[in-house]
Amino acid sequence: MELLWILVKILIVFGVVMLHVAYATYFERKVIGHMQVRMGPMRVGPHGLLQPIADGIKLFFKEDVIPTPADKQVFYAAPLICLISAVSSLAVIPFFEGFAIANINIGLLYIFALSSLASYGVVLSGWSSNSKYAFLGGLRSSAQVISYEIAMGLSLVGVMMMAGSLNLTDIVHAQMSSSFKIYLIPQFLGFFVFVVAMLAETNRTPFDLPEAETELVAGYFTEYSGMRFALFFLAEYIGMIIMSCIGVICFLGGWSGPFHVPGLPFFWFVIKVYLFIFFYYWVRATLPRYRYDQLMALGWKVLIPLALFNIVLTGTIKSISG
Amino acid sequence: MVQFLFFYFAIAVIGLGITIVNSRNPVHGVLLMLVLFFHMAGLYLLLNAEFLAAVQVIVYAGAILVLYLFVLFLVTLREEVRISPFIEKGYWMGFVIAIAMFITFIKGIQNFTLGEHGAYTIEKIGQLTHTKAMGEAIYTTYILPFEVAGLILLVAVVGGIALAKRERKGA
């Protein structure tokens, strides 16, 4: 019976997230369109509302081209690795009080572990395509993700220290009972590092070097087409949603809000996640791409020392205040 | 159920290990290694060591193996590696070493006793959570070995930087 309930929960979460992913692409095109003083998609349905469905059908029926010199097995496996690692992260995220598919003690570490797996999909897709552009994209991505994963992990250590737990539900509870209600205020340094590392981890502008259109055609997925291309696309957007969820859970107080909304326990969670996602689009429409050496310098010389300083600071304050 | 899972993980780890050693394509080898690390993490989970399981994946799969992949990309290019055996006419030496290793392992296993040892019983770890129990053990009882390990790693980092950094002219 419990197994059945878990399966139902998996189906609910998966379905809802897939729907959100579809409309996150629509939201992105609309937001960026309006920021650039144009309308965005308008043709399919009222205000282009059916655009994501049309896109999905198009991608599904497109020819699946596989380059002759590609390493077939790895070429097939790479997009699946990306997608599976992104989707499995959803399992530990508590969307509201008492609703997580698996409420495990090492929730945060589990997400780190899976996000490190996602970089394999990118690297291997670049390698297996046997194409220069894809390969360069894969190499860039592997170096970038390793560098920024360290910064991201360290930026969340402050949160772990304050909450005294790695369990995501416990982190939210600890925030509710803390004096500021959210960790954004005492952990502002950690939050800054987290937000920058979040953009880099999901390969989004201004850190989208692995898929820089002007240099690498499309980067690591240049040789992919049809449904396999769509899998990468899905993985990227689910990755964005996951990162936003972690940000909301660790810094913005999870599902808690200024007042209770009856019947919608996930109301504040969704609002906060969409704030993060809007921030992603805002940054994309505003900032130019970093150069590769700037990216590395920022990661290693600014973010990691800042995150380390934040850990020392948090530890000192915690031991003084007892 | 637990026993079934244990045997699945154990057999998969051994099988994957043999496949990795025999695979001619180094990148396929790395991919299989990734699968192997996940099975190792599964074994840790069966021991209620969830912290170790997560760290196993983060450190080995997330960092070390990616660096391996990086090196492979920069050194070899897709072709299958074919090299002559390290020792041309000495297959018997391999057998001797293998048998010696086997005897060492057998002798080592004899010292292994079943059951719980020390202050950390299963109940206590379950109560504290594995992360906390491990943190306490490392930072109190085993603080010296922990710090020594940290120092060794620091030396390795400094050495790596010293090797990688080119000397500037006039400096």
Side-chain angles (χ1 to χ4, degrees):
Chain A
M1 201 56 218
E2 195 166 337
L3 198 70
L4 198 71
W5 173 228
I6 290 175
L7 280 175
V8 171
K9 278 208 260 193
I10 291 173
L11 282 179
I12 293 173
V13 170
F14 188 71
V16 170
V17 169
M18 281 302 171
L19 210 68
H20 276 273
V21 165
Y23 277 88
T25 63
Y26 171 78
F27 185 44
E28 171 163 29
R29 292 166 74 175
K30 276 287 180 196
V31 167
I32 291 181
H34 282 280
M35 280 181 180
Q36 296 167 345
V37 204
R38 49 189 181 82
M39 301 295 279
M42 286 297 278
R43 300 275 167 170
V44 192
H47 284 272
L49 265 172
L50 297 176
Q51 184 70 44
I53 294 160
D55 284 345
I57 294 170
K58 181 193 81 173
L59 282 170
F60 193 76
F61 284 108
K62 270 202 163 181
E63 190 190 348
D64 180 22
V65 183
I66 294 157
T68 326
D71 186 317
K72 297 275 181 316
Q73 291 144 329
V74 183
F75 192 82
Y76 292 146
L80 289 176
I81 295 176
C82 268
L83 186 69
I84 289 170
S85 60
V87 173
S88 337
S89 305
L90 289 169
V92 292
I93 289 174
F95 294 98
F96 54 89
E97 183 72 60
F99 188 92
I101 296 172
N103 184 10
I104 58 174
N105 283 330
I106 47 156
L108 211 48
L109 288 180
Y110 173 83
I111 287 178
F112 286 149
L114 284 173
S115 82
S116 63
L117 181 65
S119 67
Y120 281 94
V122 174
V123 177
L124 290 174
S125 66
W127 177 79
S128 66
S129 307
N130 211 358
S131 135
K132 292 188 189 73
Y133 296 120
F135 186 56
L136 280 173
L139 278 185
R140 280 184 181 187
S141 164
S142 60
Q144 175 178 330
V145 170
I146 291 177
S147 310
Y148 279 78
E149 214 165 60
I150 302 171
M152 163 161 280
L154 290 175
S155 73
L156 290 170
V157 170
V159 172
M160 297 173 201
M161 286 163 82
M162 289 190 71
S165 175
L166 289 167
N167 183 320
L168 294 172
T169 310
D170 287 352
I171 289 176
V172 175
H173 286 157
Q175 279 179 80
M176 286 176 181
S177 54
S178 72
S179 47
F180 290 109
K181 298 292 173 206
I182 52 175
Y183 281 165
L184 173 61
I185 301 161
Q187 285 291 329
F188 61 94
L189 267 178
F191 183 70
F192 171 74
V193 175
F194 173 80
V195 167
V196 179
M198 166 184 98
L199 292 173
E201 278 276 301
T202 42
N203 294 330
R204 295 285 299 186
T205 350
F207 307 109
D208 61 341
L209 290 115
E211 44 192 88
E213 306 89 17
T214 43
E215 302 156 29
L216 299 178
V217 191
Y220 58 87
F221 53 72
T222 306
E223 303 295 336
Y224 282 83
S225 54
M227 211 48 215
R228 290 182 206 283
F229 165 76
L231 293 183
F232 279 115
F233 208 65
L234 272 178
E236 183 178 330
Y237 278 82
I238 296 174
M240 278 167 62
I241 290 180
I242 301 271
M243 285 295 159
S244 309
C245 288
I246 300 173
V248 169
I249 290 163
C250 291
F251 292 101
L252 298 185
W255 58 82
S256 63
F259 57 88
H260 184 67
V261 183
L264 290 171
F266 44 81
F267 179 78
W268 292 110
F269 193 88
V270 173
I271 295 272
K272 288 169 189 173
V273 166
Y274 269 93
L275 270 179
F276 265 100
I277 289 180
F278 176 76
F279 178 76
Y280 266 115
Y281 301 156
W282 190 12
V283 168
R284 183 180 162 187
T286 315
L287 294 179
R289 186 179 303 128
Y290 267 70
R291 216 171 53 219
Y292 194 71
D293 57 316
Q294 291 171 329
L295 170 94
M296 282 296 157
L298 179 73
W300 288 94
K301 293 182 188 163
V302 180
L303 293 183
I304 292 178
L306 254 181
L308 285 173
F309 174 70
N310 181 46
I311 294 173
V312 175
L313 197 71
T314 312
T316 316
I317 292 174
K318 205 179 170 187
S319 66
I320 288 172
S321 65
Chain B
M1 187 64 188
V2 172
Q3 264 190 339
F4 169 75
L5 281 175
F6 172 78
F7 279 111
Y8 163 68
F9 283 131
I11 290 168
V13 164
I14 295 169
L16 282 166
I18 293 170
T19 324
I20 291 162
V21 175
N22 285 318
S23 73
R24 289 205 174 268
N25 187 325
V27 176
H28 288 185
V30 166
L31 247 183
L32 291 172
M33 194 86 155
L34 184 68
V35 182
L36 183 129
F37 283 149
F38 271 87
H39 284 83
M40 296 271 282
L43 279 176
Y44 284 131
L45 277 182
L46 286 182
L47 292 170
N48 279 345
E50 69 255 16
F51 181 77
L52 267 187
V55 168
Q56 155 86 15
V57 174
I58 294 172
V59 173
Y60 281 94
I64 294 176
L65 210 57
V66 178
L67 289 179
Y68 259 75
L69 210 55
F70 215 54
V71 172
L72 278 180
F73 287 160
L74 295 177
V75 176
T76 63
L77 283 167
R78 302 190 63 90
E79 269 103 72
E80 291 183 356
V81 186
R82 284 178 185 280
I83 46 170
S84 52
F86 182 56
I87 305 168
E88 277 292 341
K89 289 171 190 167
Y91 266 93
W92 58 273
M93 268 177 74
F95 283 114
V96 170
I97 293 170
I99 289 165
M101 288 274 277
F102 185 70
I103 292 170
T104 320
F105 283 141
I106 293 288
K107 286 282 173 197
I109 286 170
Q110 280 173 356
N111 284 330
F112 181 77
T113 48
L114 285 170
E116 294 171 20
H117 302 280
Y120 290 98
T121 56
I122 291 176
E123 289 82 39
K124 198 178 172 192
I125 291 176
Q127 203 180 20
L128 276 175
T129 73
H130 179 251
T131 314
K132 209 164 185 171
M134 213 172 125
E136 273 178 9
I138 282 179
Y139 284 106
T140 55
T141 324
Y142 300 106
I143 184 76
L144 188 68
F146 180 69
E147 292 291 334
V148 169
L151 197 71
I152 293 171
L153 287 175
L154 183 70
V155 170
V157 169
V158 172
I161 292 172
L163 283 175
K165 195 160 184 174
R166 266 173 277 158
E167 272 183 50
R168 290 214 185 102
K169 278 171 194 165

